[in-house]
Amino acid sequence: MAARVAAGAGGAEGIPLLDDLMPWSVRPLRTGRPWVTAPDAASLRARWDLLVRAEGAEQERLFRSSRSRSPLTAAAALPGRTTATGRFARDPGLYPEPVRILHGPFDEQWLIPDQRLLDAARPELWRVADGHQVFAVEHGYVPQDTGPALSVTALLPDGHSPAGRPGRIRPLYRRPGGREPNLAPGLLALLDTRYAAPVAPESVLAWTLAVARPSPAGCLVPLPADGTLWAEGVELGRELLRLQLRGARGGQRPRLPGGRRPYVRAAIPPRPAALRYDPDDEALMLGEGPGEGRISPVPAGAWEFRVSGVRMLELWFERRTAQDGREGLEALRPRDWPQEWTSELLELITVLALLGELRPAQEALRKRLAAEPAVTRDALRAAGVVPAPATARRPASVLDHHEEGPEGQFALL
């Protein structure tokens, strides 16, 4: 059935939601205890070793038990991971090598991948997290927020929101190996016909990244009636995707042109306690007094880059330096500023600066969309794309994959 086209979006109620287009979504991970994640891997090993040595009440205190998890809880191994599945207090097993995750938008950290330590690890995400997968993560909605509505990552995201209610995590593919795109049945065929050209799942994600905007109902994703406008948006979205993937999936790592790349002009002190920005010199200052570190040039767009109203560089720094409220295992942290944090900070500045430079192009695209004919939710409904069937909103079954359950039992999924 051909899609009906309406002029304009007909208000927010006429614009498709990301939930219409990518129907399978997963709630954010719930670790239950902050010590299982850290900006550095060495701290996680020290925390594990201390917990293993502790016994009885002391181990339970350090563990920070919840209704879902305690040292006496058995749990299945996470998909793709080989870990002990019995009670931690009885047999901790070997230390699981930490995995790199995206802790909220733009902050890459480490996680101990042991389901006995995690209140809600979302194993359905781990089953599809492979070298082909890309995750779209909705950000928490904050009124009057002008930041991006979602971000993308090749890492396993925890879905943490810096402010507002956490959004949903939407894998691009429902099965490992980049099979079965997480798109409403019939959507690709409809867009193929509408734009008179093949539309790939990655193109839908790229378009979404370029034009999505937040709303109380979720991410809004306007779809143009014009194939030329679609192609321009996809091209812009592919660049946004490349920057956020940071070299994953065969792409190039983000780099600013020569002369504009940030460098460490003054060494970062061992324990920087403050962060400030000098807009006149485009310099980021870490620490206080004559011994403060200095990075420049740092474009204002990188410093002002916010998600859900929160400045990303400030949040990144605070998570690595704040001491208030840290106790027990979480207090085990690097004594001094690790060199790898400096490298990560330079890359984050680069990513945010380049994303900031693309914002005018995104705004111009959104303005053109508002003035052009659009494929509305009513058009998707008339074509049978909306609402998506219930099966499209559930994880796909993996019938040939064995996973170790609690206490060493095996399950066929």
Side-chain angles (χ1 to χ4, degrees), residues 8 31 107 242 247 311:
T31 63
D107 189 353
R242 182 188 71 84
R311 189 178 278 129

Side-chain angles (χ1 to χ4, degrees), residues 275-314:
L275 182 73
R276 65 183 181 88
Y277 180 66
D278 184 338
D280 295 329
D281 291 340
E282 289 193 322
L284 195 64
M285 321 299 289
L286 295 87
E288 296 177 309
E292 67 183 359
R294 179 186 181 93
I295 297 175
S296 69
V298 176
W303 172 250
E304 291 297 340
F305 198 99
R306 301 169 190 258
V307 175
S308 300
V310 178
R311 189 178 278 129
M312 289 292 96
L313 286 177
E314 285 186 321

Side-chain angles (χ1 to χ4, degrees), residues 17-24 172 174 180-191 204 380 383-389 392-393:
L17 293 166
L18 183 57
D19 190 62
D20 296 322
L21 309 182
M22 300 180 70
W24 177 42
L172 180 58
R174 291 169 48 80
E180 191 178 334
N182 178 26
L183 297 173
L187 177 63
L188 289 179
L190 174 66
L191 298 182
V204 177
L380 296 179
V385 175
V386 173
R393 297 189 175 278

Side-chain angles (χ1 to χ4, degrees), residues 189-253:
L190 174 66
L191 298 182
D192 285 350
T193 302
R194 171 55 54 192
Y195 304 137
V199 174
E202 294 82 0
S203 298
V204 177
L205 180 60
W207 171 266
T208 299
L209 197 58
V211 304
R213 56 187 176 87
S215 82
C219 286
L220 297 171
V221 185
L223 294 173
D226 177 58
T228 301
L229 191 58
W230 166 266
E232 292 178 15
V234 169
E235 183 178 2
L236 173 60
R238 288 191 186 280
E239 179 62 9
L240 293 165
L241 186 63
R242 182 188 71 84
L243 294 175
Q244 295 195 32
L245 292 184
R246 305 192 193 188
R249 306 298 176 260
Q252 295 180 338
R253 298 195 75 86

Side-chain angles (χ1 to χ4, degrees), residues 50-67:
L50 181 58
L51 185 64
V52 168
R53 292 195 302 268
E55 298 179 351
E58 175 63 7
Q59 187 178 77
E60 185 166 356
R61 183 188 71 82
L62 292 172
F63 189 95
R64 294 186 64 169
S65 299
S66 64
R67 287 185 296 177

Side-chain angles (χ1 to χ4, degrees), residues 35 38-50 95 97-98 100 110 112 329 332-335 338 340-341:
W35 62 263
D40 68 301
S43 293
L44 293 180
R45 181 58 193 255
R47 295 170 186 179
W48 172 277
D49 290 344
L50 181 58
Y95 174 63
E97 286 300 318
R100 197 73 161 154
W110 297 93
I112 301 177
L329 296 178
L332 292 177
R333 305 167 62 81
R335 290 178 55 86
E340 58 263 29
W341 287 2

